[in-house]
Amino acid sequence: MDFNFKNIVKDAGTALSRVVQFTEEKLGKSEKTELDAHFENLCERAECTRKYTEKLAKDVEAILVPNPGIRIEDFVYEKIEKQRPSRLTNLEYMGLDMVEAGTCLGPGTAYGSALIKVGQWEQKLGQTERDFIGSAGMCYTQPLRKFLDTEMKAILKEQSILELKRLDLDACKNRVRKARSMLGQSNGKEEVPPEILLEQAERDLRIAQSEFDRQTEITKLLLEGLSSSHAAHLRCLYEFVDMQVRFYSQCTTIMTDLQRELSSSRQPSPMLRLNSEDLEPLASNKYDESFTSVPIKSSQNTEQ
């Protein structure tokens, strides 16, 4: 393999110049080229967009898939471009267990029959939830993740290149100032004349300024393109809300139908006897009150 030694030396010199410039800026020994206020505002908006898009994507993913282990597993499958396994929801697992329990305890009994019915409707509820999870991921979280992996990465890359070009520009400005300060000073015979150094420094400065301006325009175009990304994210948000409305409406319908079916098949509870007295069946919503309303006679009072 052939190596261009001159290019290697040049790249090393450029990297060293950037490190020196960056260090001097941090120490306050060198001036820094400032970008205009509009460009700075675009950069701040881009950073806010990146930060909160990441947060929103994580928040929605945590709601759709509460188990962090499963989220990590899905992330790995996505990175290796392999289809993630199909999983039942917790409601579907519970429904299956209810149906199995009701079958084992006896479909002919009131309890067994109710377990089977509730289990079947819970499976419907779980299927509805699974459909919502898949649809919400496609309409909201996936577009956000794609934006972060493509557009946002491109912006960050161009911003990084712009910062390097800015360091090169300021380093050239420092060399020009140093060369100008050397004009009129006596030099040894072997040293390069200050006029030659100044001419070379000014030539490098013009090149660095041109590259910096070009990179600034490229980065600015990408930053201004975030407005269209925000519009796309707004459409995704509207669609996500519409899906939530449909999902909760379907859940309400399923549970209302289940409640109606259970009420139609519910048999009256038998009379209870306590201290040779007949008591009415306990109302389902009065459990707590019933336990405190029954008087308990003390043995000491009975003896008296």
Side-chain angles (χ1 to χ4, degrees), residues 39-221:
F39 190 90
E40 291 289 353
N41 290 334
L42 291 175
C43 290
E44 290 179 4
R45 186 180 68 157
E47 178 59 22
C48 288
T49 301
R50 182 198 63 80
K51 181 174 67 174
Y52 284 105
T53 301
E54 288 181 349
K55 284 187 176 183
L56 292 175
K58 289 180 180 179
D59 290 341
V60 175
E61 288 170 351
I63 292 174
L64 298 179
V65 185
N67 190 329
I70 294 180
R71 292 203 302 272
I72 294 175
E73 183 179 348
D74 290 343
F75 176 78
V76 173
Y77 277 110
E78 183 179 349
K79 289 301 179 182
I80 63 177
E81 298 182 354
K82 188 175 180 180
Q83 185 177 2
R84 66 185 63 179
S86 178
R87 306 184 188 90
L88 298 180
T89 63
N90 291 333
L91 286 170
E92 288 177 295
Y93 281 119
M94 183 181 70
L96 288 172
D97 289 340
M98 284 184 172
V99 172
E100 184 178 350
T103 303
C104 181
L105 295 175
T109 65
Y111 183 43
S113 175
L115 278 173
I116 293 175
K117 288 181 180 179
V118 174
Q120 292 172 343
W121 285 92
E122 292 292 346
Q123 289 181 72
K124 291 182 180 179
L125 193 64
Q127 178 63 51
T128 302
E129 181 186 21
R130 184 145 53 95
D131 294 341
F132 167 70
I133 292 172
S135 300
M138 291 181 62
C139 82
Y140 193 67
T141 57
Q142 287 185 13
L144 295 187
R145 288 296 181 189
K146 184 178 180 181
F147 163 78
L148 291 171
D149 292 338
T150 55
E151 295 176 53
M152 202 66 239
K153 278 189 176 181
I155 290 175
L156 293 175
K157 178 183 177 182
E158 297 302 329
Q159 285 180 319
S160 177
I161 295 175
L162 178 61
E163 178 62 12
L164 296 178
K165 297 298 182 183
R166 201 271 308 162
L167 289 171
D168 294 341
L169 175 62
D170 288 337
C172 289
K173 289 180 179 180
N174 288 334
R175 286 197 291 270
V176 169
R177 282 193 290 266
K178 183 177 179 181
R180 286 175 179 172
S181 66
M182 296 173 59
L183 291 175
Q185 297 180 5
S186 59
N187 299 321
K189 295 181 179 180
E190 296 181 357
E191 294 184 0
V192 180
E195 293 79 8
I196 302 299
L197 291 176
L198 178 59
E199 181 181 351
Q200 182 178 357
E202 289 178 342
R203 182 171 60 252
D204 293 341
L205 176 59
R206 288 192 295 270
I207 295 174
Q209 185 69 58
S210 176
E211 293 180 353
F212 173 78
D213 293 340
R214 178 177 177 274
Q215 186 60 35
T216 301
E217 289 301 318
I218 293 174
T219 308
K220 185 178 180 180
L221 288 174

Side-chain angles (χ1 to χ4, degrees), residues 273-279 282 288-299 301-302:
R273 294 186 64 82
L274 182 63
N275 295 334
S276 301
E277 296 180 1
D278 291 336
L279 301 178
L282 300 178
D288 294 337
E289 297 178 4
S290 64
F291 283 114
T292 58
S293 62
V294 179
I296 300 178
K297 296 182 179 180
S298 172
S299 58
N301 295 337
T302 305

Side-chain angles (χ1 to χ4, degrees), residues 215-280:
Q215 186 60 35
T216 301
E217 289 301 318
I218 293 174
T219 308
K220 185 178 180 180
L221 288 174
L222 291 177
L223 292 173
E224 290 176 341
L226 284 177
S227 297
S228 60
S229 299
H230 288 177
H233 294 173
L234 179 61
R235 292 192 296 270
C236 293
L237 181 61
Y238 286 161
E239 189 174 356
F240 175 65
V241 172
D242 290 341
M243 286 187 175
Q244 277 189 305
V245 171
R246 289 195 296 270
F247 168 63
Y248 289 118
S249 176
Q250 290 171 348
C251 290
T252 301
T253 301
I254 291 174
M255 297 310 296
T256 301
D257 292 344
L258 171 60
Q259 187 181 42
R260 186 182 302 111
E261 184 170 342
L262 290 177
S263 298
S264 62
S265 61
R266 183 178 297 172
Q267 299 178 356
S269 302
M271 298 291 290
L272 302 178
R273 294 186 64 82
L274 182 63
N275 295 334
S276 301
E277 296 180 1
D278 291 336
L279 301 178
E280 292 294 333

